[in-house]
């Protein structure tokens, strides 16, 4: 429950929201779709001293093409990500796996970042796509890479007075291929045990020139798997090389045991999925 003494603001524009956040502390909360936060409030795990409900702010909505990429407003829901033609393929795919239709109609991309859950499904994709988070406060604004934004377990680089305004996704490089896979206890409406997202670029003869791999639900936060790129960049993939890259990615995972799965299951699945996805996005024969 929101404590009865807690002020709740319902601004209709960005300036009013940022003014309301001037007094925010580490226990204050921005409320977007509420699919995470209402659970937190009801369980008593979060007892805010200030709530700023941003749901009515149109300036935080919409997906627009910009120079060099696409800007996605923080209030863009998973349902909108799925149906908007400007959404990057694997981001739409990940959004489709979030909860059921009712959750997707409320769950926002800003909330998925803001909650910084290790099991968030959109954040590994944002790391693989090299996305940037745009933060605004009453007197300042800044851009932080999605990688640096996710600091730790449910911890972000956002300051209490800042709002996640939008996410910028750079446009696809020539010959860039991407892959996404989520593994849960079942195929629909499942919290992830392992999520992987990859983006790889090759030159005209098939040499990998750039690669980003990210994993969710495995460690305490969404992480990058830098050894996959270190193993493959500058080389033409072969089955043997992809096996080695998947094994290195497994070592990057630092998987944890928790209520959703065991570290050993996560390591095994991550390695297997990395191998399969790498094959698919590099067109390497088995
Ligand atoms: C039944 C159910 C199933 C779910 N299934 C999945 C799933 O499959 N995959 C998945 O990834 N998630 C899942 N979730 C979690 C949740 O739906 C997502 O994390 C969602 O993206 C959160 O968005 P929201 O707008 O509801 O965030 P909220 O609950 O409103 O906020 C979440 C956090 O982000 C902060 N925040 C939100 N917006 C901003 C902003 N603009 N600026 C600064 N801070 C902000 C809030 O202060 C809060 O700390 C599920 C939740 C439920 C209840």
């Amino acid at each position: 429950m929101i404590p009865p003494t807690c002020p709740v603001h319902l601004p209709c524009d960005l300036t009013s929201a940022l003014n309301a956040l001037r007094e925010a502390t580490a226990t204050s909360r921005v409320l977007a779709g509420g699919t995470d936060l209402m659970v937190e409030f009801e369980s008593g795990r979060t007892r805010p001293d200030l709530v700023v409900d941003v749901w009515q702010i149109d300036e935080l909505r919409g997906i627009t093409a910009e120079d060099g990429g696409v800007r996605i407003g923080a209030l863009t829901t998973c349902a909108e990500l799925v149906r908007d033609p400007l959404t990057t393929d694997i981001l739409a795919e990940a959004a489709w796996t979030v909860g059921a239709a009712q959750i997707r109609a409320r769950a926002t991309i800003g909330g998925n970042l803001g909650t910084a859950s290790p099991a968030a499904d959109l954040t590994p994709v944002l790391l693989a796509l090299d996305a940037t988070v745009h933060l605004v406060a009453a007197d300042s604004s800044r851009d932080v890479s999605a990688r640096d934004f996710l600091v730790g377990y449910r911890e972000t680089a956002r300051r209490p007075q800042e709002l996640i305004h939008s996410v910028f996704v750079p446009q696809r490089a020539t010959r860039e291929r991407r892959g996404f896979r989520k593994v849960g206890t079942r195929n629909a409406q499942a919290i992830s045990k392992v999520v992987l997202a990859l983006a790889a670029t090759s030159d005209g003869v098939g040499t990998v020139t750039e690669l980003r791999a990210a994993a969710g639900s495995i460690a305490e936060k969404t992480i990058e798997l830098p050894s996959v790129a270190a193993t493959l960049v500058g080389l033409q993939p072969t089955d043997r090389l992809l096996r080695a890259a998947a094994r290195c990615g497994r070592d990057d995972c630092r998987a944890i045991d928790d209520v959703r799965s065991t570290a050993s299951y996560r390591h095994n699945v991550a390695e297997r999925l990395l191998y399969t996805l790498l094959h698919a996005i590099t067109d390497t024969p088995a």
Side-chain angles (χ1 to χ4, degrees), residues 8-286:
V8 178
H9 293 262
L10 200 66
C12 291
D13 61 75
L14 188 56
T15 309
S16 311
L18 297 179
N19 281 331
L21 281 170
R22 280 178 191 273
E23 305 304 320
T25 69
T27 42
S28 307
R29 289 291 179 271
V30 172
L31 179 62
T35 58
D36 274 318
L37 215 41
M38 295 313 286
V39 179
E40 293 278 312
F41 290 157
E42 285 308 303
S43 68
R45 278 199 299 269
T46 298
R47 293 184 63 79
D49 61 357
L50 168 74
V51 172
V52 179
D53 181 340
V54 295
W55 189 253
Q56 302 190 58
I57 302 179
D58 286 340
E59 290 133 292
L60 298 176
R61 294 189 189 285
I63 305 179
T64 44
E66 269 187 16
D67 232 15
V70 169
R71 184 162 299 281
I72 304 170
L75 279 185
T76 304
T77 63
C78 287
E80 288 163 341
L81 286 172
V82 169
R83 61 175 179 254
D84 195 300
L86 286 177
T87 310
T88 312
D89 46 9
I90 54 171
L91 190 55
E93 212 180 311
W96 174 247
T97 71
V98 172
Q102 294 87 339
I103 293 292
R104 291 194 292 275
R106 291 287 299 192
T108 65
I109 190 167
N112 209 262
L113 278 159
T115 202
S117 161
D121 288 321
L122 304 187
T123 53
V125 176
L126 295 177
L127 260 62
L129 295 176
D130 204 17
T132 305
V133 183
H134 185 56
L135 296 161
V136 289
D139 305 315
S140 62
S141 67
R142 61 186 178 124
D143 290 304
V144 181
S145 68
R147 178 183 317 109
D148 294 337
F149 183 77
L150 300 167
V151 171
Y153 177 75
R154 294 190 176 274
E155 204 190 332
T156 73
R158 184 181 78 86
R159 299 177 189 125
Q161 298 79 22
E162 288 177 326
L163 201 57
I164 301 168
H165 173 276
S166 54
V167 178
F168 182 75
V169 178
Q171 75 189 35
R172 183 193 294 267
T174 314
R175 295 197 195 87
E176 182 180 331
R177 303 271 303 273
R178 295 148 174 175
F180 168 82
R181 194 66 66 81
K182 165 173 172 171
V183 175
T185 40
R186 54 187 185 195
N187 280 337
Q189 293 192 46
I191 298 181
S192 311
K193 291 169 182 277
V194 173
V195 191
L196 288 178
L198 275 86
T201 309
S202 309
D203 65 11
V205 291
T207 304
V208 178
T209 53
E210 203 180 347
L211 191 150
R212 280 178 306 277
S217 254
I218 285 182
E220 291 204 333
K221 62 167 194 159
T222 298
I223 54 168
E224 274 191 306
L225 308 175
S227 304
V228 181
T231 313
L232 289 176
V233 169
L235 300 171
Q236 289 190 349
T238 58
D239 181 62
R240 202 161 149 209
L241 205 50
L242 296 188
R243 257 181 221 289
R247 221 170 12 252
C248 290
R250 172 197 180 112
D251 293 341
D252 281 342
C253 281
R254 304 185 307 274
I256 53 166
D257 289 307
D258 68 6
V259 286
R260 286 169 288 121
S261 194
T262 62
S264 122
Y265 176 86
R266 286 174 158 131
H267 276 132
N268 288 336
V269 172
E271 181 176 349
R272 186 71 214 165
L273 282 188
L274 272 171
Y275 173 73
T276 309
L277 282 176
L278 284 168
H279 259 287
I281 67 172
T282 61
D283 284 330
T284 309

